Amino acid sequence: MVRPASKIAEDIRTLKVQGARRVAQAALEALVSAAKTSRAKTNGALYGDLLRAAHMLKATRPTEPMMRNALEDSLRFGLAWIRMHPKEEPKELAMALEVHESDLLEEMREAVERIARTGASELPKGAHVLIHCHSTTVIKVLGRAQKTGKKPHVICLETRPLYQGRLSARELAAAGVDTTLAVDSAAGSLMGKTDVVLTGADAMTGSGDLINKVGTFSLAQLARLHGVRFLCAAELYKYDPLTRFGRSET
């Protein structure tokens, strides 16, 4: 059953879908849904529907470049496909877009697996790792470390006001990782017992800056003060082209 693009967009907007990669995946699903359910009679009209769907999806999370990049990639593919197949029916474009979505999701999966392997190799055995908010990539890194016998001890900050850290704690505990949930304000007192601070990223700018959830900057400063290594696990899909000069151009 095809979920309506509008329903997926609402789930993204209300944070029922969390994690930049999951948001991007949901947005791609919505774009394909828009293509399949469109009543357009021509490829040009269908492409117009795709543009409107993409605009609606981007508006749900303006600060998610990974979603924007994934949608823009699919739109470029759709436009190129139309130019190469001018006589094909709109349903053929919808099918091609679905195949492209599958290929793009596989690229994302492989990227995360590579990051997980690299990240896990950076963690000392039995390391005490402090994480902030919820990142599916960070969860993958820690899960990989657990599977390879490094047995990390993870402290999840709860991350107010929406408490995404609780989701991280549940997923890590389910994977067998030794996990503790802590209030955000305890970060300073915990830093002396921490070997590595590990976060994800919402975006990366043209000047190489990391953008992440509120509180990440404070953790970085605390880590520096205590001489604790600070690592970020993030794909290049999160590079924000709007900041190619080091700042947002919107």
Side-chain angles (χ1 to χ4, degrees):
M1 181 178 179
V2 178
R3 288 201 299 160
S6 58
K7 175 62 170 64
I8 299 173
E10 181 63 13
D11 287 347
I12 295 172
R13 187 187 69 79
T14 58
L15 299 182
K16 290 182 179 178
V17 181
Q18 295 194 35
R21 189 160 57 93
R22 286 176 179 166
V23 169
Q25 290 171 343
L28 289 173
E29 178 190 346
L31 196 67
V32 170
S33 174
K36 287 183 173 181
T37 58
S38 172
R39 297 181 180 180
K41 302 299 183 183
T42 66
N43 285 329
L46 176 53
Y47 190 73
D49 287 344
L50 294 177
L51 286 173
R52 284 186 285 274
H55 180 75
M56 171 186 66
L57 290 161
K58 291 176 185 178
T60 62
R61 296 274 188 93
T63 59
E64 286 284 5
M66 188 171 187
M67 174 174 65
R68 293 201 310 270
N69 290 338
L71 290 171
E72 290 295 335
D73 182 279
S74 293
L75 289 174
R76 286 193 297 271
F77 169 83
L79 187 59
W81 190 93
I82 290 172
R83 290 175 175 172
M84 294 176 65
H85 305 85
K87 296 182 180 180
E88 296 288 353
E89 296 293 322
K91 65 179 181 179
E92 299 296 331
L93 171 55
M95 292 173 60
L97 194 66
E98 185 173 24
V99 173
H100 182 71
E101 175 206 17
S102 179
D103 292 341
L104 189 54
L105 291 178
E106 180 60 20
E107 285 183 16
M108 290 181 180
R109 188 196 67 79
E110 290 177 356
V112 170
E113 289 300 325
R114 289 196 295 271
I115 292 172
R117 290 194 296 270
T118 301
S121 70
E122 293 290 328
L123 299 180
K125 190 171 183 178
H128 286 77
V129 183
L130 181 66
I131 69 172
H132 185 55
C133 200
H134 180 73
S135 163
T136 52
T137 309
V138 166
I139 299 299
K140 283 282 188 181
V141 170
L142 295 168
R144 178 80 178 187
Q146 179 72 11
K147 287 180 181 178
T148 55
K150 289 198 167 180
K151 299 185 182 302
H153 306 280
V154 181
I155 300 170
C156 300
L157 297 181
E158 60 185 0
T159 320
R160 297 184 183 190
L162 298 178
Y163 301 101
Q164 295 99 318
R166 296 180 184 180
L167 176 59
S168 296
R170 284 197 298 270
E171 292 186 1
L172 289 169
V177 178
D178 179 39
T179 306
T180 301
L181 184 67
V183 297
D184 298 344
S185 57
S189 61
L190 294 168
M191 199 61 66
K193 305 173 184 177
T194 299
D195 298 305
V196 178
V197 176
L198 177 62
T199 73
D202 288 332
M204 290 175 284
T205 74
S207 60
D209 294 323
L210 157 68
I211 299 174
N212 198 45
K213 302 297 184 295
V214 171
T216 305
F217 176 76
S218 299
L219 283 180
Q221 293 299 315
L222 283 169
R224 182 179 183 183
L225 181 64
H226 287 262
V228 174
R229 196 175 185 197
F230 186 100
L231 298 177
C232 172
E235 307 96 310
L236 286 177
Y237 290 112
K238 294 181 180 179
Y239 168 69
D240 191 348
L242 297 177
T243 65
R244 62 181 179 271
F245 296 115
R247 54 184 171 78
S248 176
E249 297 178 339
T250 57

